[in-house]
Amino acid sequence: MRTDSVDETAAVGDEGGFAPELSSNEEAIQCVLDAITVMGYKEDGPVQIGLDVASSELFIDNQYRLVAEGQTMKSSEFADFLSAWVDRYPILTIEDGMAESDWEGWKLLSEQIGTRIQLTGDDLFVTNVQILREGISQGIANSVLIKPNQIGTLTETLDAVSVAQNAGYGVTIS
């Protein structure tokens, strides 16, 4: 368990989140697990982890680049990487697990862990009914992040919610 205190090297990440300097992405998961334990919960108890991988930011030249780990992975390797995390940690949901343009990767990830956890498409679906329908027909993801300001009108937003719900997809409103 980490016992060191937060210092001046801690930063504010995108969207205002706490972003301490860590040596790896997996260390971030361990910090969250440590916090769960410190709060008196068990790792396999009622508190679970949700990850926004923001994979489109990692997807360069059709490969996933994890700078902290010094690794470059093909889609299949990255899907295996995330699947291994789901095997090891109490992960409930992964948002943007694969890049928005990597539909083959999304298909692999969905096949590997889509029956076990929530796989949410944000950058993938962008609250767009046409894209969401295509994802549903291909069995990609199993949940959508809905952002009313992303698509344009409330009617389009409600249509996206309806399409997702009718397909049995989870819906998260942002």
Side-chain angles (χ1 to χ4, degrees), residues 16-17 31 55 137 142 150:
C31 285
S55 292
S137 74
N142 59 23
Q150 203 170 36

Side-chain angles (χ1 to χ4, degrees), residues 122-133 144-163 173-174:
D122 173 14
D123 295 342
L124 175 67
F125 295 132
V126 292
T127 313
N128 182 301
V129 171
Q130 183 178 349
I131 298 169
L132 177 59
R133 281 191 176 120
V144 61
L145 185 67
I146 300 291
K147 296 179 179 175
N149 64 333
Q150 203 170 36
I151 191 62
T153 70
L154 287 177
T155 299
E156 290 169 305
T157 300
L158 294 173
D159 286 347
V161 170
S162 178
V163 166
I173 306 293
S174 175

Side-chain angles (χ1 to χ4, degrees), residues 3 22 28 37 42-43 60 75 81 90-91 100 113 118 136 147 149 153 158 170:
T3 57
L22 302 170
T37 303
K42 295 182 180 188
E43 287 183 15
I60 302 164
S75 296
F81 178 82
I91 296 173
E100 62 193 90
I113 59 176
Q118 178 175 282
I136 291 167
K147 296 179 179 175
N149 64 333
T153 70
L158 294 173

Side-chain angles (χ1 to χ4, degrees), residues 64-104:
Y64 292 90
R65 296 183 188 215
L66 300 178
V67 175
E69 285 83 356
Q71 290 182 305
T72 301
M73 299 178 215
K74 295 183 274 186
S75 296
S76 60
E77 295 168 323
F78 195 58
D80 291 344
F81 178 82
L82 293 176
S83 295
W85 277 5
V86 170
D87 291 340
R88 283 196 306 276
Y89 301 111
I91 296 173
L92 175 68
T93 182
I94 295 177
E95 179 183 331
D96 289 336
M98 303 302 273
E100 62 193 90
S101 61
D102 186 10
W103 283 62
E104 288 180 28

